[in-house]
Amino acid sequence: MQILSIEELEIECSLSDGKENIPITYLLASDHAVISTNSFLAEIIRNLQLQVVKVIKSAIKGNLVAGQTINCVFIEGFNFLKESDYQKYIRIDRRKEGLDITTSETKMKDIHKIYADGSYADETKQSGYSGFIENPDGTQQIFHRSFINGNSNLMELLAVLDGLQRLQSVEKIQVNTDSRFVIRGLVQWVHFWKFNNWQTAYGREVKFAKYWQQIEPLCEGKLIEFKWIKGHSGNEKQDFCHQMAGECARNSDGDFTTI
């Protein structure tokens, strides 16, 4: 995508497949992309309009300038999560080729469950995460780690990574987390980052790229159900992970890894 001009209310750009250039006008006030050309490629881009808008908005965060070229990756049939989806069970099925992302009001049965949380303590400049695995047969497993430095988002990601590593042989998994950052990353953004050489739309390395690169293959061949749990909402198992992660971040004893 080539950025042609940037005005107060609109951005003019051009999207090319190497053979044809499609002019696009992004209207900031309405958060809408206008594609006036009529062609086969234009129709494809029109159907991917939400993804086009997401790319432009992401690029704006990177101090967009006229003349800039943005590397774009679009996935046909891909739908981004809506706010209401976080009240449901979000499923991504990667057992077959392609991406199948759906939501449901009801959870899957007989499934391995991961509860995960992460924390950072300003007073100690330490971070930590904790996880809780509940298997269909009733057996349970608790895991946790402490780190020097780090931050809450990274700990949330590492907690889920650790849980998935422990369930590598399992096909159906439910991930419970209070982190929309992790859910959005694994359900939405990781697929675009992977095809864009782990760079954002404006050419910067994805934050925590090496950990996203570790966790993404763990989702291949699996049906993973994500459940967002609001923090401090009374979910006993999630609250347990929250408390344990906080203790890992505040504790001055034990083994610490520098991150």
Side-chain angles (χ1 to χ4, degrees):
M1 181 184 291
Q2 183 78 26
I3 304 302
L4 304 177
S5 65
I6 302 174
E7 305 295 338
E8 183 178 355
L9 298 177
E10 64 183 41
I11 296 174
E12 296 288 346
C13 51
S14 175
L15 190 59
S16 173
D17 64 351
K19 298 179 181 179
E20 182 182 0
N21 292 315
I22 304 298
I24 301 172
T25 301
Y26 173 60
L27 305 175
L28 281 78
S30 61
D31 194 25
H32 182 71
V34 177
I35 304 164
S36 55
T37 305
N38 290 316
S39 69
F40 180 72
L41 178 59
E43 187 60 29
I44 292 176
I45 296 173
R46 203 171 279 116
N47 291 333
L48 298 172
Q49 182 178 145
L50 183 56
Q51 293 182 43
V52 172
V53 169
K54 289 280 187 180
V55 167
I56 296 174
K57 291 174 70 174
S58 178
I60 290 173
K61 297 177 183 178
N63 298 319
L64 193 65
V65 295
Q68 183 175 344
T69 299
I70 303 171
N71 293 324
C72 303
V73 176
F74 300 111
I75 301 175
E76 189 174 0
F78 187 91
N79 294 315
F80 288 96
L81 296 175
K82 304 183 295 295
E83 178 64 27
S84 59
D85 291 335
Y86 290 99
Q87 308 307 317
K88 304 175 184 178
Y89 294 91
I90 303 167
R91 295 174 189 150
I92 179 165
D93 192 346
R94 296 181 60 183
R95 293 175 295 180
K96 298 179 181 179
E97 187 176 352
L99 293 172
D100 183 13
I101 301 172
T102 58
T103 60
S104 176
E105 298 285 352
T106 58
K107 61 184 177 182
M108 293 190 294
K109 298 180 179 179
D110 300 322
I111 191 170
H112 296 259
K113 299 178 182 179
I114 299 171
Y115 294 85
D117 205 353
S119 180
Y120 175 79
D122 284 324
E123 62 269 27
T124 62
K125 305 301 180 186
Q126 297 168 177
S127 57
Y129 69 74
S130 176
F132 181 96
I133 293 176
E134 185 177 50
N135 300 307
D137 62 4
T139 58
Q140 301 173 342
Q141 182 181 5
I142 297 172
F143 56 92
H144 54 84
R145 286 188 69 184
S146 299
F147 298 85
I148 298 173
N149 300 321
N151 60 53
S152 293
N153 276 342
L154 177 56
M155 292 301 109
E156 300 275 9
L157 177 61
L158 291 183
V160 175
L161 170 60
D162 195 335
L164 290 175
Q165 286 175 330
R166 295 169 188 269
L167 295 176
Q168 291 190 52
S169 62
V170 175
E171 185 181 81
K172 297 181 180 180
I173 301 171
Q174 181 188 89
V175 174
N176 297 271
T177 175
D178 62 4
S179 172
R180 294 192 180 191
F181 168 75
V182 171
I183 295 176
R184 282 196 301 266
L186 287 176
V187 175
Q188 296 180 170
W189 293 113
V190 73
H191 314 294
F192 296 92
W193 293 333
K194 180 180 178 180
F195 285 111
N196 202 32
N197 197 29
W198 300 99
Q199 291 185 334
T200 63
Y202 47 94
R204 295 182 182 176
E205 183 182 38
V206 170
K207 197 170 186 179
F208 312 137
K210 72 175 183 178
Y211 301 111
W212 290 114
Q213 290 173 41
Q214 291 176 37
I215 199 171
E216 189 274 334
L218 296 174
C219 300
E220 291 183 1
K222 298 183 185 297
L223 171 59
I224 300 182
E225 178 177 84
F226 292 90
K227 178 59 178 174
W228 177 72
I229 299 177
K230 185 177 180 180
H232 316 291
S233 60
N235 183 290
E236 183 178 351
K237 293 165 186 173
Q238 194 66 31
D239 287 348
F240 170 82
C241 291
H242 174 78
Q243 180 179 352
M244 180 70 73
E247 291 177 1
C248 288
R250 292 187 298 271
N251 190 4
S252 59
D253 300 323
D255 296 327
F256 287 86
T257 301
T258 301
I259 198 165

